[in-house]
């Protein structure tokens, strides 16, 4: 099984998935995006949902747990449960894509931007499913398996000593294999001897 790369992404499309076929967890997820849009448009007032409250919620969710569920879900509903529990993202966008296995099927790739964390989610229309496949971390309070922003880069490399270093000139990339998870790619960015960001990208087939 290969890790997710840009080659796995489907091609842009022009038509939309059938919303009537979406699973409950998908509808909950999209409801949070609608709340975000209404706040942005000034259509929700009374202080119940505001940009500030969205920001506070967004800072509160466990990004490290999200990464772990993405690469090693603990059960058949773990991913759906996590996606349904995500707070609304302060910023979000979606791109239509053609399913690489079914050219007649149109899906969506959502990009959700939280403070210091960017999540990418593939929304399949048939069967309805939400598949998180990439998490980028730029906050120093997110610790994933010992790795965090601000860590000495040599210490970070030591944590990845068992991973395979992938050939790339732009950044450090590692193929991580574990007994309890599918292989995934970890990108490491650093400056001045310290980790400035890291991203975990799961296989998406």
């Amino acid at each position: 099984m290969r890790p997710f790369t840009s080659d796995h992404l489907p091609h842009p499309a022009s038509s939309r998935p059938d919303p009537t076929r979406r699973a409950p967890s998908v509808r909950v997820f999209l409801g949070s995006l609608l709340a975000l849009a209404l706040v942005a448009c000034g259509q929700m007032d009374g202080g119940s949902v505001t940009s500030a409250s969205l920001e506070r919620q967004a800072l509160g969710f466990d990004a490290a747990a999200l990464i772990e569920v993405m690469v090693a879900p603990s059960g058949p509903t773990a991913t759906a449960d996590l996606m349904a529990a995500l707070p609304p993202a302060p910023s979000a966008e979606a791109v239509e894509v053609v399913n690489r296995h079914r050219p007649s099927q149109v899906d969506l790739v959502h990009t959700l931007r939280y403070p210091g964390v960017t999540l990418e989610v593939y929304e399949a229309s048939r069967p309805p499913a939400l598949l998180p496949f990439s998490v980028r971390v730029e906050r120093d309070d997110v610790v994933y398996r010992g790795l965090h922003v601000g860590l000495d880069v040599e210490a970070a490399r030591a944590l990845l000593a068992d991973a395979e270093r992938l050939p790339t000139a732009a950044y450090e990339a590692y193929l991580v294999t574990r007994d309890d998870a599918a292989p995934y790619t970890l990108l490491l960015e650093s400056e001045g001897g310290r980790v400035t960001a890291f991203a975990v990208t799961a296989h998406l087939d």
Side-chain angles (χ1 to χ4, degrees), residues 28-47:
V28 170
F29 169 74
L30 295 176
S32 70
L33 297 184
L34 175 60
L36 165 66
L38 291 175
V39 169
C41 293
Q43 295 180 22
M44 298 185 73
D45 53 20

Side-chain angles (χ1 to χ4, degrees), residues 18-142:
D18 181 359
T20 64
R21 300 181 62 90
R22 285 171 171 150
S25 62
V26 177
R27 292 195 294 270
V28 170
F29 169 74
L30 295 176
S32 70
L33 297 184
L34 175 60
L36 165 66
L38 291 175
V39 169
C41 293
Q43 295 180 22
M44 298 185 73
D45 53 20
S48 59
V49 180
T50 65
S51 295
S53 66
L54 285 177
E55 196 84 3
R56 286 193 297 272
Q57 291 180 56
L59 282 166
F61 85 97
D62 191 340
L66 170 63
I67 296 173
E68 187 63 14
V69 169
M70 181 180 76
V71 301
S74 58
T77 65
T79 301
D81 292 345
L82 181 141
M83 293 304 302
L86 274 180
S91 172
E93 62 186 45
V95 176
E96 295 174 337
V97 293
V98 173
N99 187 289
R100 64 190 299 264
H101 298 296
R102 300 186 184 95
S104 62
Q105 178 174 322
V106 180
D107 299 328
L108 291 171
V109 171
H110 297 272
T111 300
L112 310 180
R113 295 183 178 86
Y114 297 91
V117 177
T118 300
L119 168 64
E120 291 185 278
V121 181
Y122 190 97
E123 181 191 347
S125 55
R126 293 192 309 272
L130 290 169
L131 306 170
F133 66 86
S134 179
V135 179
R136 175 181 167 83
V137 176
E138 297 174 272
R139 280 167 38 192
D140 61 8
D141 62 340
V142 176

